[in-house]
Amino acid sequence: MRSRCALRPGKRGRFLLPGAAPPPAPAERLVYVFTTWRSGSSFFGELFNQNPEVFFLYEPVWHVWQKLYPGDAVSLQGAARDMLSSLYRCDLSVFQLYSTAGAGKNLTTLGIFGAATNKVICSSPLCPAYRKEVVGMVDDRVCKKCPPQRLSRFQEECHKYRTLVIKGVRIFDLAVLAPLMRDPSLELKVIHLVRDPRAVASSRIRSRHGLIRESLQVLGGKKEGGGGSDYHALGAMEVICSSMAKTLQTALHAPDWLRDNYLAVRYEDLVMEPIKTLRRVYSFVNLTVSPEMEKFALNMTSGPGYSSKPFVVSARNATQALSAWRTALSFQQIQQVEEYCHQPMAVLGYERVGSPEEVKDLSRTLLRKPQLSFHSLSGVKPHPLAGDGEEHN
């Protein structure tokens, strides 16, 4: 006689107790935007946050770093991956695990990092302020007045979406994501957003006071050296570029788990050719490009100037955004960054400079055809770097 407690097979090999409902399946399209601080990732993230079909999370691993501070970047990679594994299954209770609100206090939607600009949190049915189907930036001052919702309510919304995108700067080694990318129940894709390391360094210096805590965690046990007041901003570049070089080598010699699941995007290509880059990115993750999203991307790269507010997403002048570092950094600082970052710069097509005069000659582009574009991660796709791969004049 068959036991009443016999297990029955569930979806993807899981086993369920009799009468138990199968667990919700992950969304059909799961994407991780793999990048570092000051790489234009807030703007890039908006290309997903604004999409009516996408459930987007902004820097959720921030909670891990805050809860486990002063843990260094390397030691926190495992916890970060575990959190992502839960989030990609719409298990948002993991936010409570890393809450710093105090014992007995339940985290709400407004306690999630980046909540005030999250289009799902700020839109109906969670909040009457906005509608998710209408493309357009939200005002964080308005969103902060939204009613706080239980995480379970936010989780219900997550299950309604077919595409889930997470943007993060706190995963340093692409191989950390390998278990998630190998998992057949997830089929995770990675978009690697890169930017000229000299521009990243310049932006880090401008926003150094807001990044000091993260810089200390990135540097870990490294002893303080030269660089004066900009030491933490520039010193972190050595760790960041070392990790970037390792990731790019993994992409150039792609293992099975990475093939067809990796796309590199240069920030410079995004701001110079926003429509073309948006189409390639959306094609990679099987999203449809709407006229509203094309207009949004174009408007965000056609602003009047280059914002002096480093943590605010706003329309920028593309040309000024690309060249600002050339007038902001000293030649000595540029040389230091190039020493730390020459390997990823060569792969990604960022040309080194030989003199202060060369830096100041803004008529000369320092963008070249990336080495990565010559390498195919599959037998079908032409190359894994978004953009046309041609030299920019």
Side-chain angles (χ1 to χ4, degrees), residues 194-198 265-269 272-273 322 325-326 344-354 358 361-374 383 385-393:
V194 298
R195 187 182 185 183
D196 189 321
R198 295 162 297 193
V265 179
R266 286 195 306 194
Y267 171 76
E268 293 77 10
D269 294 322
M272 294 301 292
E273 299 180 310
L322 297 188
W325 68 267
R326 298 174 74 169
M345 285 176 63
V347 173
L348 296 169
Y350 298 120
E351 185 179 343
R352 301 176 72 171
V353 293
E358 195 174 328
D361 182 7
L362 300 184
S363 66
R364 180 183 175 187
T365 180
L366 297 174
L367 279 177
R368 296 291 180 263
K369 191 172 184 178
Q371 292 179 18
L372 194 61
S373 66
F374 293 112
H383 56 73
L385 193 135
D388 57 12
E390 297 299 325
E391 179 177 324
H392 290 256
N393 295 310

Side-chain angles (χ1 to χ4, degrees), residues 132-366:
K132 185 71 164 78
E133 64 269 22
V134 178
V135 175
M137 295 291 291
V138 299
D139 186 332
D140 63 333
R141 295 168 298 182
V142 173
C143 292
K144 287 175 182 176
K145 297 177 182 178
C146 286
Q149 303 284 356
R150 299 187 310 275
L151 290 180
S152 59
R153 184 72 185 84
F154 193 33
Q155 183 166 302
E156 290 173 8
E157 288 303 304
C158 180
H159 284 298
K160 295 178 182 179
Y161 288 82
R162 297 176 61 190
T163 302
L164 197 166
V165 179
I166 297 175
K167 191 270 285 190
V169 297
R170 293 171 173 81
I171 297 291
F172 279 64
D173 184 353
L174 187 62
V176 169
L177 298 175
L180 305 186
M181 299 183 76
R182 288 194 187 103
D183 189 336
S185 71
L186 296 180
E187 298 181 352
L188 179 67
K189 287 181 176 287
V190 168
I191 299 175
H192 187 187
L193 178 67
V194 298
R195 187 182 185 183
D196 189 321
R198 295 162 297 193
V200 173
S202 177
S203 186
R204 288 186 69 87
I205 290 173
R206 286 195 303 117
S207 54
R208 59 183 174 271
H209 297 299
L211 290 173
I212 184 65
R213 184 169 168 137
E214 283 81 1
S215 291
L216 288 170
Q217 288 178 281
V218 170
L219 288 166
K222 288 177 67 66
K223 294 183 179 180
E224 184 161 339
S229 62
D230 298 330
Y231 165 72
H232 294 107
L234 291 176
M237 291 303 299
E238 182 176 10
V239 178
I240 289 169
C241 282
S242 175
S243 299
M244 187 186 300
K246 185 176 181 181
T247 288
L248 292 172
Q249 285 304 309
T250 301
L252 285 165
H253 306 91
D256 290 343
W257 53 268
L258 195 62
R259 291 195 182 98
D260 299 324
N261 295 321
Y262 173 91
L263 178 74
V265 179
R266 286 195 306 194
Y267 171 76
E268 293 77 10
D269 294 322
L270 174 63
V271 298
M272 294 301 292
E273 299 180 310
I275 303 301
K276 187 173 184 178
T277 306
L278 174 66
R279 289 174 178 173
R280 294 209 177 191
V281 168
Y282 271 27
S283 175
F284 174 68
V285 296
N286 298 317
L287 283 172
T288 302
V289 181
S290 68
E292 292 78 15
M293 283 306 306
E294 288 189 345
K295 183 179 179 181
F296 175 81
L298 190 61
N299 288 343
M300 291 297 288
T301 55
S302 305
Y306 184 61
S307 174
S308 61
K309 298 178 180 179
F311 296 103
V312 176
V313 180
S314 60
R316 310 285 176 93
N317 179 288
T319 302
Q320 291 185 30
L322 297 188
S323 61
W325 68 267
R326 298 174 74 169
T327 55
L329 294 179
S330 69
F331 187 60
Q332 181 181 4
Q333 289 173 324
I334 292 171
Q335 286 183 309
Q336 185 177 358
V337 175
E338 290 182 348
E339 179 183 349
Y340 291 153
C341 306
H342 62 93
Q343 288 182 322
M345 285 176 63
V347 173
L348 296 169
Y350 298 120
E351 185 179 343
R352 301 176 72 171
V353 293
S355 68
E357 293 73 26
E358 195 174 328
V359 176
K360 304 304 180 187
D361 182 7
L362 300 184
S363 66
R364 180 183 175 187
T365 180
L366 297 174

Side-chain angles (χ1 to χ4, degrees), residues 51-89:
N51 191 306
E53 299 178 17
V54 175
F55 186 92
F56 178 75
L57 291 174
Y58 174 91
E59 308 285 2
V61 178
W62 177 90
H63 292 269
V64 174
W65 280 41
Q66 294 295 306
K67 183 71 172 181
L68 302 182
Y69 185 84
D72 65 89
V74 174
S75 67
L76 297 178
Q77 297 296 279
R81 179 183 58 226
D82 291 345
M83 182 186 212
L84 292 175
S85 179
S86 295
L87 294 176
Y88 279 122
R89 293 172 169 84

